[in-house]
Amino acid sequence: MPAARTVLLTGAAGGLGTLMRGLLPAYGYELRLLDIAPVEGAPDAIVADLADRDALRDAVRGVDAIIHLAGISLEAPFEKILRANIEGTYHLYEAAREEGVRRIVFASSNHAVGFTPRPRAGDPLIPVDTPRRPDTFYGLSKSFGEDLAQLYWDRHGLETVSVRIGSCYPEPTTVRMLSVWMSPEDCARLFHAALTAEGVGHTVVHGSSANTRLWWDLSSARALGYEPQDDSEEYAAKLTADQGELDDANPDHAHLGGHFCTNPPRWPH
Ligand code: NAI
Ligand code: 15L
């Protein structure tokens, strides 16, 4: 596949969308933006709900690829997750299929496998084919998205890289994040690799920086050409001084998904 040039970025008004709007143009992409909310500083952005199939068809027409970030990004009642994340992702894939878009980068999440026990000292890294263990309806919707992506590859030849994002923020803010953090710059590197690698079919990758305290295996991401440059360890001394190390007796610290397994943060935040 030739390097994608015009890319639809859904969820452009959100936290990650805003970071990617700043970083991806340097890779040569022309971004078309979409969100249900107005996108600050971008009057040309398409304001549309993922439920609006006609708007989605117009939005995807002529793009080389899609980065799909839009949706509910925390736990919510099932009916809301169903509409925004499950049906919404289906509508986007249908629009992409109808308009002949070749590739989607899907923002999956660590919460698709959130009930996976967190590795302790000496344990192997979590492999990318670890069984799905969603920790919330939110995580369940990401698990659905990965299966939808597999279906559209097998049935329609529409390629997807499903990126199980750990925590992508300018800095890690918790000790757990030291293990799953992805710097925004590494996220842009990973999305670029996902957009340009040859023959990805449906590939699932873990999305993190090259953290000293990494919990999961990055090899399928590296196989796409991703070379993370950042490491959360530079934040470790301050975070552990403030919060302490992870506690084996604390249920919030028992799983990859952390507090999403015990007391998930709820939408809207
Ligand atoms: P966010 O909540 O800041 O942004 C999500 C955006 O989607 C918002 O701008 C919202 O208006 C839009 N949206 C919600 N429902 C919509 C609908 N029905 N139609 C159109 N737009 C809609 O979330 P954030 O942090 O930017 O995350 C982006 C994506 O990455 C989400 O899918 C999230 O699940 C995923 N993700 C993010 C992680 C992170 O660390 N930021 C970690 C793992 C996954
Ligand atoms: C996610 O999937 C959420 O969208 C994001 O808000 C973070 O909480 C992240 O996971 C995380 O696990 O830190």
PDB file of all heavy atoms in Angstrom, residues 72-74 108-112 135 138 142 165-169 174 176-177 180 256-260 265 269, ligand 2:
ATOM      1  N   ILE A  72     -17.016   6.772  23.143  1.00  0.00           N
ATOM      2  CA  ILE A  72     -16.984   6.934  24.594  1.00  0.00           C
ATOM      3  C   ILE A  72     -15.707   6.284  25.093  1.00  0.00           C
ATOM      4  O   ILE A  72     -15.435   5.116  24.786  1.00  0.00           O
ATOM      5  CB  ILE A  72     -18.243   6.307  25.217  1.00  0.00           C
ATOM      6  CG1 ILE A  72     -19.474   7.150  24.815  1.00  0.00           C
ATOM      7  CG2 ILE A  72     -18.118   6.187  26.732  1.00  0.00           C
ATOM      8  CD1 ILE A  72     -20.799   6.582  25.277  1.00  0.00           C
ATOM      9  N   SER A  73     -14.915   7.038  25.854  1.00  0.00           N
ATOM     10  CA  SER A  73     -13.565   6.578  26.191  1.00  0.00           C
ATOM     11  C   SER A  73     -13.436   6.099  27.633  1.00  0.00           C
ATOM     12  O   SER A  73     -12.323   5.841  28.095  1.00  0.00           O
ATOM     13  CB  SER A  73     -12.557   7.701  25.915  1.00  0.00           C
ATOM     14  OG  SER A  73     -12.871   8.841  26.690  1.00  0.00           O
ATOM     15  N   LEU A  74     -14.566   5.998  28.319  1.00  0.00           N
ATOM     16  CA  LEU A  74     -14.574   5.511  29.708  1.00  0.00           C
ATOM     17  C   LEU A  74     -15.796   4.597  29.868  1.00  0.00           C
ATOM     18  O   LEU A  74     -16.510   4.332  28.904  1.00  0.00           O
ATOM     19  CB  LEU A  74     -14.664   6.693  30.686  1.00  0.00           C
ATOM     20  CG  LEU A  74     -13.493   7.696  30.656  1.00  0.00           C
ATOM     21  CD1 LEU A  74     -13.827   8.913  31.505  1.00  0.00           C
ATOM     22  CD2 LEU A  74     -12.201   7.041  31.132  1.00  0.00           C
ATOM     23  N   SER A 108      -8.184   0.698  19.817  1.00  0.00           N
ATOM     24  CA  SER A 108      -8.631  -0.241  20.834  1.00  0.00           C
ATOM     25  C   SER A 108      -8.002   0.188  22.163  1.00  0.00           C
ATOM     26  O   SER A 108      -7.465   1.300  22.270  1.00  0.00           O
ATOM     27  CB  SER A 108      -8.230  -1.665  20.434  1.00  0.00           C
ATOM     28  OG  SER A 108      -8.742  -2.592  21.377  1.00  0.00           O
ATOM     29  N   SER A 109      -8.088  -0.658  23.141  1.00  0.00           N
ATOM     30  CA  SER A 109      -7.655  -0.239  24.474  1.00  0.00           C
ATOM     31  C   SER A 109      -7.151  -1.427  25.276  1.00  0.00           C
ATOM     32  O   SER A 109      -7.581  -2.579  25.063  1.00  0.00           O
ATOM     33  CB  SER A 109      -8.833   0.400  25.221  1.00  0.00           C
ATOM     34  OG  SER A 109      -8.532   0.610  26.589  1.00  0.00           O
ATOM     35  N   ASN A 110      -6.283  -1.120  26.218  1.00  0.00           N
ATOM     36  CA  ASN A 110      -5.855  -2.144  27.194  1.00  0.00           C
ATOM     37  C   ASN A 110      -7.068  -2.744  27.917  1.00  0.00           C
ATOM     38  O   ASN A 110      -6.989  -3.878  28.407  1.00  0.00           O
ATOM     39  CB  ASN A 110      -4.844  -1.550  28.171  1.00  0.00           C
ATOM     40  CG  ASN A 110      -5.427  -0.545  29.143  1.00  0.00           C
ATOM     41  OD1 ASN A 110      -5.901  -0.906  30.215  1.00  0.00           O
ATOM     42  ND2 ASN A 110      -5.401   0.736  28.780  1.00  0.00           N
ATOM     43  N   HIS A 111      -8.193  -2.009  27.937  1.00  0.00           N
ATOM     44  CA  HIS A 111      -9.353  -2.504  28.678  1.00  0.00           C
ATOM     45  C   HIS A 111     -10.110  -3.610  27.943  1.00  0.00           C
ATOM     46  O   HIS A 111     -11.018  -4.207  28.527  1.00  0.00           O
ATOM     47  CB  HIS A 111     -10.241  -1.329  29.090  1.00  0.00           C
ATOM     48  CG  HIS A 111      -9.488  -0.376  29.967  1.00  0.00           C
ATOM     49  ND1 HIS A 111      -9.084  -0.710  31.241  1.00  0.00           N
ATOM     50  CD2 HIS A 111      -8.962   0.859  29.706  1.00  0.00           C
ATOM     51  CE1 HIS A 111      -8.371   0.296  31.747  1.00  0.00           C
ATOM     52  NE2 HIS A 111      -8.284   1.255  30.835  1.00  0.00           N
ATOM     53  N   ALA A 112      -9.722  -3.899  26.695  1.00  0.00           N
ATOM     54  CA  ALA A 112     -10.243  -5.101  26.016  1.00  0.00           C
ATOM     55  C   ALA A 112      -9.687  -6.368  26.670  1.00  0.00           C
ATOM     56  O   ALA A 112     -10.268  -7.445  26.550  1.00  0.00           O
ATOM     57  CB  ALA A 112      -9.883  -5.077  24.535  1.00  0.00           C
ATOM     58  N   ASP A 135     -12.724  -5.451  30.890  1.00  0.00           N
ATOM     59  CA  ASP A 135     -12.954  -5.130  32.302  1.00  0.00           C
ATOM     60  C   ASP A 135     -14.200  -4.279  32.510  1.00  0.00           C
ATOM     61  O   ASP A 135     -14.547  -3.965  33.663  1.00  0.00           O
ATOM     62  CB  ASP A 135     -11.716  -4.464  32.912  1.00  0.00           C
ATOM     63  CG  ASP A 135     -11.233  -3.238  32.163  1.00  0.00           C
ATOM     64  OD1 ASP A 135     -12.056  -2.564  31.513  1.00  0.00           O
ATOM     65  OD2 ASP A 135     -10.022  -2.944  32.238  1.00  0.00           O
ATOM     66  N   TYR A 138     -17.158  -0.706  28.325  1.00  0.00           N
ATOM     67  CA  TYR A 138     -16.244   0.040  27.457  1.00  0.00           C
ATOM     68  C   TYR A 138     -15.205  -0.904  26.831  1.00  0.00           C
ATOM     69  O   TYR A 138     -15.013  -0.919  25.605  1.00  0.00           O
ATOM     70  CB  TYR A 138     -15.572   1.153  28.275  1.00  0.00           C
ATOM     71  CG  TYR A 138     -14.342   1.738  27.632  1.00  0.00           C
ATOM     72  CD1 TYR A 138     -14.435   2.468  26.453  1.00  0.00           C
ATOM     73  CD2 TYR A 138     -13.077   1.549  28.198  1.00  0.00           C
ATOM     74  CE1 TYR A 138     -13.294   2.992  25.856  1.00  0.00           C
ATOM     75  CE2 TYR A 138     -11.948   2.074  27.614  1.00  0.00           C
ATOM     76  CZ  TYR A 138     -12.063   2.791  26.436  1.00  0.00           C
ATOM     77  OH  TYR A 138     -10.937   3.303  25.839  1.00  0.00           O
ATOM     78  N   LYS A 142     -14.388  -2.375  22.802  1.00  0.00           N
ATOM     79  CA  LYS A 142     -13.096  -2.429  22.087  1.00  0.00           C
ATOM     80  C   LYS A 142     -12.829  -3.848  21.600  1.00  0.00           C
ATOM     81  O   LYS A 142     -12.276  -4.049  20.507  1.00  0.00           O
ATOM     82  CB  LYS A 142     -11.975  -1.936  22.994  1.00  0.00           C
ATOM     83  CG  LYS A 142     -12.123  -0.482  23.426  1.00  0.00           C
ATOM     84  CD  LYS A 142     -12.172   0.464  22.234  1.00  0.00           C
ATOM     85  CE  LYS A 142     -12.193   1.921  22.667  1.00  0.00           C
ATOM     86  NZ  LYS A 142     -12.227   2.854  21.522  1.00  0.00           N
ATOM     87  N   ILE A 165      -4.300   0.761  22.982  1.00  0.00           N
ATOM     88  CA  ILE A 165      -3.560   1.865  23.604  1.00  0.00           C
ATOM     89  C   ILE A 165      -3.531   1.647  25.115  1.00  0.00           C
ATOM     90  O   ILE A 165      -4.528   1.256  25.731  1.00  0.00           O
ATOM     91  CB  ILE A 165      -4.230   3.210  23.254  1.00  0.00           C
ATOM     92  CG1 ILE A 165      -4.304   3.392  21.729  1.00  0.00           C
ATOM     93  CG2 ILE A 165      -3.475   4.362  23.907  1.00  0.00           C
ATOM     94  CD1 ILE A 165      -5.179   4.565  21.296  1.00  0.00           C
ATOM     95  N   GLY A 166      -2.350   1.890  25.695  1.00  0.00           N
ATOM     96  CA  GLY A 166      -2.234   1.836  27.151  1.00  0.00           C
ATOM     97  C   GLY A 166      -2.789   3.132  27.732  1.00  0.00           C
ATOM     98  O   GLY A 166      -4.005   3.265  27.943  1.00  0.00           O
ATOM     99  N   SER A 167      -1.938   4.094  27.988  1.00  0.00           N
ATOM    100  CA  SER A 167      -2.357   5.419  28.467  1.00  0.00           C
ATOM    101  C   SER A 167      -1.563   6.452  27.692  1.00  0.00           C
ATOM    102  O   SER A 167      -0.340   6.548  27.882  1.00  0.00           O
ATOM    103  CB  SER A 167      -2.039   5.596  29.957  1.00  0.00           C
ATOM    104  OG  SER A 167      -2.690   4.621  30.729  1.00  0.00           O
ATOM    105  N   CYS A 168      -2.240   7.199  26.844  1.00  0.00           N
ATOM    106  CA  CYS A 168      -1.533   8.191  26.015  1.00  0.00           C
ATOM    107  C   CYS A 168      -1.870   9.597  26.487  1.00  0.00           C
ATOM    108  O   CYS A 168      -2.969  10.102  26.233  1.00  0.00           O
ATOM    109  CB  CYS A 168      -1.887   8.016  24.541  1.00  0.00           C
ATOM    110  SG  CYS A 168      -0.886   9.095  23.498  1.00  0.00           S
ATOM    111  N   TYR A 169      -0.944  10.175  27.176  1.00  0.00           N
ATOM    112  CA  TYR A 169      -1.040  11.532  27.713  1.00  0.00           C
ATOM    113  C   TYR A 169       0.349  12.145  27.646  1.00  0.00           C
ATOM    114  O   TYR A 169       1.342  11.406  27.547  1.00  0.00           O
ATOM    115  CB  TYR A 169      -1.531  11.509  29.168  1.00  0.00           C
ATOM    116  CG  TYR A 169      -2.904  10.898  29.320  1.00  0.00           C
ATOM    117  CD1 TYR A 169      -3.058   9.560  29.688  1.00  0.00           C
ATOM    118  CD2 TYR A 169      -4.050  11.648  29.057  1.00  0.00           C
ATOM    119  CE1 TYR A 169      -4.320   8.993  29.793  1.00  0.00           C
ATOM    120  CE2 TYR A 169      -5.312  11.076  29.165  1.00  0.00           C
ATOM    121  CZ  TYR A 169      -5.440   9.757  29.531  1.00  0.00           C
ATOM    122  OH  TYR A 169      -6.682   9.184  29.619  1.00  0.00           O
ATOM    123  N   THR A 174       0.149   8.230  37.012  1.00  0.00           N
ATOM    124  CA  THR A 174       0.032   7.237  38.081  1.00  0.00           C
ATOM    125  C   THR A 174       1.173   6.232  37.937  1.00  0.00           C
ATOM    126  O   THR A 174       1.795   6.126  36.867  1.00  0.00           O
ATOM    127  CB  THR A 174      -1.297   6.454  38.005  1.00  0.00           C
ATOM    128  OG1 THR A 174      -1.305   5.679  36.804  1.00  0.00           O
ATOM    129  CG2 THR A 174      -2.500   7.382  38.023  1.00  0.00           C
ATOM    130  N   ARG A 176       0.799   3.013  37.874  1.00  0.00           N
ATOM    131  CA  ARG A 176       0.377   2.045  36.852  1.00  0.00           C
ATOM    132  C   ARG A 176       0.763   2.517  35.449  1.00  0.00           C
ATOM    133  O   ARG A 176       1.220   1.743  34.619  1.00  0.00           O
ATOM    134  CB  ARG A 176      -1.130   1.828  36.941  1.00  0.00           C
ATOM    135  CG  ARG A 176      -1.697   1.057  35.761  1.00  0.00           C
ATOM    136  CD  ARG A 176      -3.213   0.878  35.862  1.00  0.00           C
ATOM    137  NE  ARG A 176      -3.748   0.361  34.628  1.00  0.00           N
ATOM    138  CZ  ARG A 176      -4.178   1.116  33.618  1.00  0.00           C
ATOM    139  NH1 ARG A 176      -4.148   2.437  33.702  1.00  0.00           N
ATOM    140  NH2 ARG A 176      -4.635   0.560  32.524  1.00  0.00           N
ATOM    141  N   MET A 177       0.581   3.786  35.198  1.00  0.00           N
ATOM    142  CA  MET A 177       0.875   4.303  33.858  1.00  0.00           C
ATOM    143  C   MET A 177       2.351   4.169  33.487  1.00  0.00           C
ATOM    144  O   MET A 177       2.687   4.185  32.299  1.00  0.00           O
ATOM    145  CB  MET A 177       0.452   5.770  33.737  1.00  0.00           C
ATOM    146  CG  MET A 177      -1.015   5.978  33.503  1.00  0.00           C
ATOM    147  SD  MET A 177      -1.277   7.707  33.012  1.00  0.00           S
ATOM    148  CE  MET A 177      -3.028   7.851  33.320  1.00  0.00           C
ATOM    149  N   VAL A 180       2.237   1.255  31.192  1.00  0.00           N
ATOM    150  CA  VAL A 180       1.417   1.220  29.970  1.00  0.00           C
ATOM    151  C   VAL A 180       1.449   2.533  29.191  1.00  0.00           C
ATOM    152  O   VAL A 180       0.806   2.643  28.128  1.00  0.00           O
ATOM    153  CB  VAL A 180      -0.056   0.842  30.299  1.00  0.00           C
ATOM    154  CG1 VAL A 180      -0.131  -0.569  30.864  1.00  0.00           C
ATOM    155  CG2 VAL A 180      -0.708   1.842  31.248  1.00  0.00           C
ATOM    156  N   LEU A 256      -4.029  -5.697  34.553  1.00  0.00           N
ATOM    157  CA  LEU A 256      -3.595  -4.741  33.523  1.00  0.00           C
ATOM    158  C   LEU A 256      -4.489  -3.508  33.512  1.00  0.00           C
ATOM    159  O   LEU A 256      -4.013  -2.374  33.410  1.00  0.00           O
ATOM    160  CB  LEU A 256      -3.645  -5.448  32.157  1.00  0.00           C
ATOM    161  CG  LEU A 256      -3.427  -4.598  30.912  1.00  0.00           C
ATOM    162  CD1 LEU A 256      -2.032  -3.999  30.885  1.00  0.00           C
ATOM    163  CD2 LEU A 256      -3.673  -5.433  29.649  1.00  0.00           C
ATOM    164  N   GLY A 257      -5.803  -3.714  33.637  1.00  0.00           N
ATOM    165  CA  GLY A 257      -6.749  -2.597  33.545  1.00  0.00           C
ATOM    166  C   GLY A 257      -6.817  -1.730  34.789  1.00  0.00           C
ATOM    167  O   GLY A 257      -7.547  -0.734  34.799  1.00  0.00           O
ATOM    168  N   GLY A 258      -6.079  -2.104  35.837  1.00  0.00           N
ATOM    169  CA  GLY A 258      -6.014  -1.277  37.048  1.00  0.00           C
ATOM    170  C   GLY A 258      -7.394  -1.039  37.658  1.00  0.00           C
ATOM    171  O   GLY A 258      -8.195  -1.968  37.806  1.00  0.00           O
ATOM    172  N   HIS A 259      -7.667   0.220  37.992  1.00  0.00           N
ATOM    173  CA  HIS A 259      -8.918   0.550  38.694  1.00  0.00           C
ATOM    174  C   HIS A 259     -10.145   0.404  37.801  1.00  0.00           C
ATOM    175  O   HIS A 259     -11.270   0.410  38.310  1.00  0.00           O
ATOM    176  CB  HIS A 259      -8.834   1.958  39.291  1.00  0.00           C
ATOM    177  CG  HIS A 259      -8.641   3.023  38.257  1.00  0.00           C
ATOM    178  ND1 HIS A 259      -7.518   3.096  37.465  1.00  0.00           N
ATOM    179  CD2 HIS A 259      -9.437   4.051  37.877  1.00  0.00           C
ATOM    180  CE1 HIS A 259      -7.628   4.131  36.645  1.00  0.00           C
ATOM    181  NE2 HIS A 259      -8.781   4.721  36.872  1.00  0.00           N
ATOM    182  N   PHE A 260      -9.983   0.242  36.486  1.00  0.00           N
ATOM    183  CA  PHE A 260     -11.149  -0.057  35.647  1.00  0.00           C
ATOM    184  C   PHE A 260     -11.763  -1.398  36.070  1.00  0.00           C
ATOM    185  O   PHE A 260     -12.953  -1.638  35.840  1.00  0.00           O
ATOM    186  CB  PHE A 260     -10.765  -0.119  34.164  1.00  0.00           C
ATOM    187  CG  PHE A 260     -10.694   1.219  33.468  1.00  0.00           C
ATOM    188  CD1 PHE A 260      -9.774   2.182  33.853  1.00  0.00           C
ATOM    189  CD2 PHE A 260     -11.524   1.503  32.388  1.00  0.00           C
ATOM    190  CE1 PHE A 260      -9.689   3.410  33.206  1.00  0.00           C
ATOM    191  CE2 PHE A 260     -11.448   2.726  31.729  1.00  0.00           C
ATOM    192  CZ  PHE A 260     -10.531   3.685  32.138  1.00  0.00           C
ATOM    193  N   PRO A 265     -13.657   4.645  36.022  1.00  0.00           N
ATOM    194  CA  PRO A 265     -14.086   6.031  35.803  1.00  0.00           C
ATOM    195  C   PRO A 265     -15.190   6.068  34.767  1.00  0.00           C
ATOM    196  O   PRO A 265     -15.187   5.295  33.812  1.00  0.00           O
ATOM    197  CB  PRO A 265     -12.821   6.725  35.279  1.00  0.00           C
ATOM    198  CG  PRO A 265     -11.974   5.632  34.736  1.00  0.00           C
ATOM    199  CD  PRO A 265     -12.318   4.393  35.514  1.00  0.00           C
ATOM    200  N   HIS A 269     -16.720  12.543  31.861  1.00  0.00           N
ATOM    201  CA  HIS A 269     -15.821  12.798  32.968  1.00  0.00           C
ATOM    202  C   HIS A 269     -15.867  14.257  33.360  1.00  0.00           C
ATOM    203  O   HIS A 269     -16.530  15.063  32.790  1.00  0.00           O
ATOM    204  CB  HIS A 269     -14.391  12.364  32.675  1.00  0.00           C
ATOM    205  CG  HIS A 269     -13.954  12.465  31.259  1.00  0.00           C
ATOM    206  ND1 HIS A 269     -12.666  12.635  30.889  1.00  0.00           N
ATOM    207  CD2 HIS A 269     -14.638  12.380  30.092  1.00  0.00           C
ATOM    208  CE1 HIS A 269     -12.573  12.647  29.571  1.00  0.00           C
ATOM    209  NE2 HIS A 269     -13.745  12.507  29.079  1.00  0.00           N
TER     210      HIS A 269
HETATM  211  C1  15L B   2      -8.485   4.022  28.244  1.00  0.00           C
HETATM  212  O1  15L B   2      -8.916   3.185  27.464  1.00  0.00           O
HETATM  213  C2  15L B   2      -9.152   5.314  28.448  1.00  0.00           C
HETATM  214  O2  15L B   2      -9.803   5.767  27.275  1.00  0.00           O
HETATM  215  C3  15L B   2      -8.211   6.399  28.912  1.00  0.00           C
HETATM  216  O3  15L B   2      -8.992   7.480  29.403  1.00  0.00           O
HETATM  217  C4  15L B   2      -7.241   5.929  30.016  1.00  0.00           C
HETATM  218  O4  15L B   2      -7.919   5.845  31.202  1.00  0.00           O
HETATM  219  C5  15L B   2      -6.577   4.610  29.625  1.00  0.00           C
HETATM  220  O5  15L B   2      -7.460   3.664  29.061  1.00  0.00           O
HETATM  221  C6  15L B   2      -5.850   3.928  30.799  1.00  0.00           C
HETATM  222  O6  15L B   2      -6.016   2.727  30.989  1.00  0.00           O
HETATM  223  O7  15L B   2      -5.093   4.621  31.480  1.00  0.00           O
END
